[in-house]
Amino acid sequence: MSLHPALQPYADAWTHSIEAISELVQPLVEAEWNRRTPCPGWSVRDIVSHVLGLDSEMLGDPRPIHTLPRDLYHVTNDHQRYMEMQVDVRRHHTAPEMTSELEYMIIRRNRQLRNESRDPGTKVRGPLGTELTLEEAMRRHAFDVWAHEQDLRTALGRPGNLDSPGAHVARDVLLGELPAVVAERADAPRSSAVVFDVHGPVEFLRTIRVDIQGRGTLESSPALGPAATLTLDWETYFRLACGRVTPEAAADRIKTEGDPDLTAAILRHFTVTQ
């Protein structure tokens, strides 16, 4: 393998999730491709189209030339318009067309990963013309594909892989967003701490400490006398963070202690995906 060791976990996570997606959708009949998913506005077909679009961009394929309809209620910003292009262009594709394209894309991406010899710090193109490192691109991609595998599992009633390699990548990506959620968006008091106690297939205890300047940092040590503590299961945690469920709908699965205004603000700003 020529793949840099720092990139291997992300390649493994992507491989695990994309093969699970392929296995999930191969036997579906046409009507099942239209099932709603937890991803707002997207069906099973749309989720698979989105994954195909993401991987085509990782391959460096040109983006489709396509005009979006004006009545897509779930498309409200430039990022969503960018992502919707690859979805809408496939909305009339049949089940065999979708599975054939997925199979071919997996072959091409596996070949690309086998031949990948670039350094993790190499700059690559991201969404909307942004630039990011190859390592960050592969990390984000592994997270995205795992999250969408979970969308499909929910829609099809096939739970699983909550502790797969992609789940652990997702944990790290979402934890990286927590300091901003607590310190900036929820405006936690300065010189305070907030504890997150997550149990289930992926479990962790993390503290966000807010310093005197209002900056948040992520720590693995518990805090004495935190301003707030949130206890919840892993599935609820990632579904909240990915905007798949509202705090109100998940209230019976979240235990909060401490400042009620602060915990409410944290949950209100918990979604970090676009």
Side-chain angles (χ1 to χ4, degrees):
M1 285 287 292
S2 56
L3 194 64
H4 192 283
L7 303 177
Q8 192 64 54
Y10 308 127
D12 292 343
W14 171 83
T15 299
H16 194 276
S17 292
I18 203 72
E19 288 178 353
I21 287 174
S22 181
E23 184 181 319
L24 283 168
V25 302
Q26 282 291 344
L28 299 184
V29 297
E30 199 68 49
E32 291 175 303
W33 285 84
N34 298 322
R35 282 194 189 179
R36 290 178 61 183
T37 72
C39 209
W42 280 0
S43 65
V44 167
R45 177 184 282 98
D46 296 338
I47 291 285
V48 177
S49 296
H50 174 60
V51 170
L52 285 165
L54 291 174
D55 271 295
S56 73
E57 298 207 6
M58 294 294 283
L59 283 161
D61 292 348
R63 282 175 55 76
I65 297 170
H66 180 69
T67 302
L68 286 179
R70 296 181 178 220
D71 59 350
L72 297 174
Y73 73 92
H74 58 281
V75 178
T76 59
N77 58 46
D78 286 344
H79 180 82
Q80 290 170 349
R81 272 187 283 277
Y82 182 92
M83 292 301 176
E84 195 73 20
M85 196 75 75
Q86 297 274 15
V87 173
D88 194 66
V89 80
R90 294 176 173 85
R91 280 218 158 96
H92 300 295
H93 287 197
T94 63
E97 287 173 325
M98 295 296 294
T99 54
S100 295
E101 185 180 3
L102 183 61
E103 286 176 13
Y104 184 49
M105 183 276 295
I106 292 172
I107 291 168
R108 293 178 65 211
R109 282 281 285 133
N110 276 326
R111 185 184 302 128
Q112 180 190 40
L113 289 170
R114 281 198 304 273
N115 296 327
E116 181 60 81
S117 58
R118 291 176 292 179
D119 184 83
T122 304
K123 294 291 185 180
V124 298
R125 186 188 70 188
L128 291 168
T130 55
E131 202 175 63
L132 64 167
T133 65
L134 177 61
E135 182 172 8
E136 181 61 17
M138 288 185 63
R139 179 172 177 261
R140 282 276 164 184
H141 188 59
F143 161 59
D144 285 342
V145 175
W146 176 82
H148 291 308
E149 176 201 338
Q150 292 303 316
D151 288 331
L152 293 172
R153 289 187 176 282
T154 300
L156 299 170
R158 297 276 304 280
N161 284 352
L162 287 171
D163 60 349
S164 67
H168 289 87
V169 173
R171 174 201 60 195
D172 294 343
V173 169
L174 295 174
L175 281 173
E177 302 285 350
L178 261 190
V181 168
V182 172
E184 297 170 26
R185 296 173 204 159
D187 197 22
R190 299 183 179 203
S191 302
S192 70
V194 176
V195 172
F196 293 84
D197 186 357
V198 177
H199 54 90
V202 174
E203 58 180 35
F204 51 88
L205 182 71
R206 294 291 187 275
T207 300
I208 302 298
R209 294 190 185 275
V210 184
D211 65 19
I212 195 66
Q213 280 82 37
R215 292 187 299 259
T217 55
L218 176 70
E219 298 181 3
S220 56
S221 56
L224 296 175
T229 300
L230 291 88
T231 303
L232 64 164
D233 65 273
W234 164 236
E235 184 173 8
T236 301
Y237 182 96
F238 85 74
R239 291 188 73 199
L240 280 168
C242 295
R244 300 319 197 246
V245 67
T246 64
E248 294 76 20
D252 62 332
R253 300 193 294 278
I254 307 167
K255 179 185 175 185
T256 60
E257 299 174 67
D259 183 344
D261 290 336
L262 177 57
T263 56
I266 290 168
L267 290 171
R268 193 165 56 246
H269 296 283
F270 207 70
T271 299
V272 296
T273 57
Q274 294 176 298

